[in-house]
Amino acid sequence: MQKTLDVITIGRAGVDLYGAQIGGRLEDMGSFRKYIGGSPTNIACGTARLGLKSGLITRVGDEHMGRFIREQLAREGVDTTGVITDPERLTALVILGIRDQEQFPLIFYRENCADMALSPGDIDEALIARTRSVLATGTHLSHPQTRAAVLRALELARQHGARTALDIDYRPNLWGVAGHGAGESRFVESAAVTAQLQETLHHFDLIVGTEEEFHIAGGTTDTIGALRAVRAVTPAVLICKRGAAGAVAFTGPIPDSLDEGEAGPGFPIEVFNVLGAGDGFFSGLLKGWLDGENWPRALEYANACGALAVSRHGCTPAYPSLEELRFFLQRGVIRPDLRNDDKLEQIHWSTNRKGDWSTMRVFAFDHRMQLEAMAGATPSKIGAFKELCLKAALGVAAGRPGHGILTDDRLGRRALHAAAGTGLWLGRPTEWPGSRPLQLEPDLGVDLGGLEAWPRDQVVKVLCFCHPDDDAAMQADQEATVLRLFTAARRNGLEFLLEIIPSKVGPCDDGTTAELIHRFYRIGVYPDWWKLEPMRTAAAWEAAIRAIEEHDRHTRGIVVLGLDAPEAELAASFAVAAGYPLVRGFAVGRTIFGSVAQGWLAGALSDEAAVAEMQRRYARLCTLWDEARAKASGRQVAGSYQEAGE
């Protein structure tokens, strides 16, 4: 069978609730950040970020946290064929904190959890046959049923020519040799655990552990003696992690000193959070191992991934993309607290964003001032109309990718909330309508703390009326507001869309938009999205795109706004914009809903008629964009939205 996967990991999958406050007791945490967790799950994601095709075998509960794990794995690009939904058990949970550089308290909630119900019958031979390697972790060797499942996977791996690896990952309380309050403990001597591990070590080609983990595997606290005891039962390559001293590989007999093993360079960085660092290390190691690199090079990958992991909050979210890893290895350490290295963090953020939004067909009905000015408008009526707009958007999208909406929380709250989980891209405005200098919606708070309450799939959108000829006071005021908002969005894990409209402020030429783009980058604003006016000349588009790419090669892209233009003008602007790949699509509003809203608010249109007409107009714009893009790229359009049933 064709090897379509590079690695399958097997074992723990849970939800990590990380204390957001640093330097306090777990007892005193006031809020938590939610991530996926469990060593095999972390490694599956870490390797996927490095470009390997990874899969996971585990069980999750039939509830919200189980669905969260499954959905997040898919976002990370992990094959979930082997992720089984357990109808009887809850998903595992871990609560963690960062006390200081030495203490990282954690509590495992794993009584009868879903992943510990994994059984040999859950191991799909066809799935194992598709992979080049299988990786197991120690916890699933601690129970007869999960142990049998792991051994079945290893047996099938051998039959189908896959390599095998073990992360010893010793957690004493998960082996039943330490209490619930000892989740932080990494070593308790146990002859029984040593015996159970040694019975399985011959199944592996690669075994990785800390010195303490080799102590439990070898049955002695003398590291060289422990490695020799492990070597006596397996010819596997042994990788011993040594913390700040890096790691060493032993491919043959164990020498008298760890320093005699093959080593890769380490990195002088500040230790912020050791939790999950070993999984980041193993992700980098697997990248090197499966790519056929020598051990010093593979260990360099591993050490770098581990260094990046210990520098950040969380486990999986801390792991680097392949581009980030390459950048880090080439440039080196500029400052030891890597999470405060702005250039590195920008690459980390921009190369680890999830979702394919290479095409953007956005129905923008975030308008407030324009709707409030219409005859018959009240807040409740506007809210009801925005629900009709959402219905039209969903009717056109029909579950297909590449569609989105812009709507607000003040007047369009019901539509905004109803859109969650529909697959639509969701943008939400923050500017006070029509303000210049820019002011923000008051519900964000003086310190912009209101963003903490935003769902993480919503994009922070801000419209700034600005021009290169603005006086110094206006420029400084508006740029400071945008920078504050951008910083707060990043702090809360939210993507950021910056819309700039210079034509409403002053005369524009081919360089106007580009100059504004340069200005925002120079103050440290790196939008995930740009929303720009339609520009009529190739020179203006090329200048704007050069300005973006000069500062940020990883931006999501540009969407073109409509400015209430008639369809013919939009079609003409699409024809120009679609010739530039960085322009992903459009975000148009009043052209779709303007006259419909007037008629509906006046009582001249029914709900059904309003939805049908907006659906027709939105579908028409989608078709116009797709045709413009197809013509620019020299390909045929698959079919219009009308032909597809809209």
Side-chain angles (χ1 to χ4, degrees), residues 17 30 39 77 89 138 171 181 241 263 265 267 293 295 306 368 383 404 478 483 510 537 548 570 598 642-643:
L17 293 181
S39 290
R89 297 169 181 84
R171 303 299 180 112
K241 297 182 289 186
F267 301 91
E293 302 286 359
W295 287 114
R368 288 142 287 165
Q478 298 208 121
L483 179 59
D510 289 346
T537 69
I548 293 170
L570 284 177
Q598 291 174 333
Q642 289 77 15
E643 290 169 352

Side-chain angles (χ1 to χ4, degrees), residues 209-216 220 223 226 240-242 258:
T210 62
E211 291 190 54
E212 292 171 320
E213 286 168 340
F214 275 108
H215 293 170
I216 194 67
T220 173
T223 302
C240 184
K241 297 182 289 186
R242 306 176 67 192
L258 293 179

